[in-house]
């Protein structure tokens, strides 16, 4: 099964409260994006059906959501109703070299850790550098070193801030890393790290 088929099937067969990653409020993401800039263009990469895009829109940001799953994007659009037309929706695989345009902030919660092949991580790194010009920022949340080893039956690579910085290379300076315990809709606890980078 391809990556797209895997994610489309998941989003087709489960509601948001059956998906382990669903958050009620994306507090850490909003705080770190706010530290990066209080206005501007934000892309939520692998945004799925997250409420983050709506919260960003309400704060006055210009917002795009990119995801490999068209089903996820459709669910997110349906939930937003009329507001959906204010967001740019991009069906794209970040490991396949799409063109996303340019943004002040790149946000990724729980996508990069699925890229266990080095060629996919290299493609992501190049896309990130193309998408975020000098002075822009990236907020990347992944499972932490003491976090889960798998998600949705897929292997993951957990990170801490310095490991993530080493993956992104010298074009992105690590400004800070924060731990977060995500409580899943079923009450499980998952250890994440969120890192804020500046494009140099
Ligand atoms: C664990 S979910 C996280 C969703 C969202 N970021 C959140 O925090 O609620 C991972 C998301 O990444 C998307 N995804 C997985 N691989 C991807 C890829 N190669 N390119 C773009 N999106 C991808 C999936 O469709 C899914 O929506």
């Amino acid at each position: 099964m391809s990556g797209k088929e895997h994610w489309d099937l998941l989003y087709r067969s489960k509601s948001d409260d059956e998906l382990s990653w669903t958050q009620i409020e994306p507090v850490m993401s909003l705080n770190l994006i706010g530290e990066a800039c209080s206005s501007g263009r934000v892309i939520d990469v692998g945004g799925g059906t997250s409420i983050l895009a709506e919260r960003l829109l309400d704060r006055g940001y210009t917002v795009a959501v990119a995801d490999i799953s068209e089903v996820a994007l459709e669910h997110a659009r349906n939930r937003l109703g009329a507001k959906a037309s204010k967001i740019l929706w991009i069906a794209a695989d970040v490991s396949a070299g799409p063109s996303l345009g340019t943004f002040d902030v790149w946000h990724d919660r729980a996508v990069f850790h699925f890229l266990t092949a080095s060629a996919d991580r290299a493609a992501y790194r190049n896309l990130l550098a193309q998408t975020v010009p000098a002075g822009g920022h990236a907020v990347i949340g992944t499972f932490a070193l003491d976090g889960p080893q798998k998600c949705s039956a897929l292997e993951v690579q957990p990170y801490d801030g310095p490991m993530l910085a080493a993956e992104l290379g010298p074009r992105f300076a690590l400004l800070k890393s924060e731990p977060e315990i995500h409580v899943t809709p079923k009450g499980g606890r998952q250890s994440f790290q969120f890192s804020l980078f500046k494009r140099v």
Side-chain angles (χ1 to χ4, degrees):
M1 194 187 293
S2 74
K4 177 179 162 25
E5 286 165 349
H6 171 86
W7 291 104
D8 275 347
L9 184 63
L10 260 179
Y11 281 109
R12 212 174 267 126
S13 57
K14 291 183 191 278
S15 62
D16 281 355
D17 56 14
E18 293 174 302
L19 298 170
S20 59
W21 55 86
T22 296
Q23 284 179 300
I24 296 168
E25 285 301 332
V27 176
M28 176 72 81
S29 299
L30 288 169
N31 287 346
L32 291 176
I33 292 168
E35 283 186 35
C37 61
S38 56
S39 63
R41 291 166 53 79
V42 182
I43 184 163
D44 189 14
V45 173
T49 56
S50 168
I51 193 84
L52 178 66
E54 183 176 2
R55 295 291 185 257
L56 290 170
L57 199 63
D58 291 345
R59 283 166 170 73
Y61 294 95
T62 301
V63 184
V65 178
D67 203 285
I68 197 170
S69 168
E70 292 182 46
V71 177
L73 296 179
E74 191 190 331
H75 286 188
R77 276 196 299 267
N78 289 344
R79 196 190 59 230
L80 274 162
K83 273 187 184 172
S85 63
K86 297 183 177 161
I87 293 174
L88 176 63
W89 303 94
I90 307 170
D93 176 348
V94 292
S95 64
S99 179
L100 300 175
T102 56
F103 290 87
D104 301 304
V105 182
W106 169 289
H107 175 267
D108 161 355
R109 173 176 179 266
V111 184
F112 186 71
H113 63 205
F114 287 111
L115 304 182
T116 53
S118 64
D120 290 344
R121 291 195 298 276
Y124 179 105
R125 188 161 57 233
N126 288 336
L127 181 63
L128 173 57
Q130 245 175 51
T131 307
V132 179
H137 291 81
V139 173
I140 303 182
T142 66
F143 284 147
L145 297 181
D146 58 348
Q149 305 296 309
K150 278 192 164 189
C151 177
S152 315
L154 298 175
E155 299 288 336
V156 296
Q157 170 63 60
Y159 291 94
D160 62 16
M163 282 171 72
L164 199 50
E167 278 293 339
L168 298 188
R171 291 176 288 189
F172 287 88
L174 178 62
L175 301 183
K176 69 191 293 190
S177 295
E178 298 275 355
E180 185 186 56
I181 300 296
H182 166 58
V183 179
T184 70
K186 285 188 177 158
R189 293 168 69 81
Q190 297 182 330
S191 177
F192 274 75
Q193 71 72 40
F194 278 77
S195 294
L196 173 63
F197 294 91
K198 183 162 190 179
R199 172 82 151 98
V200 291

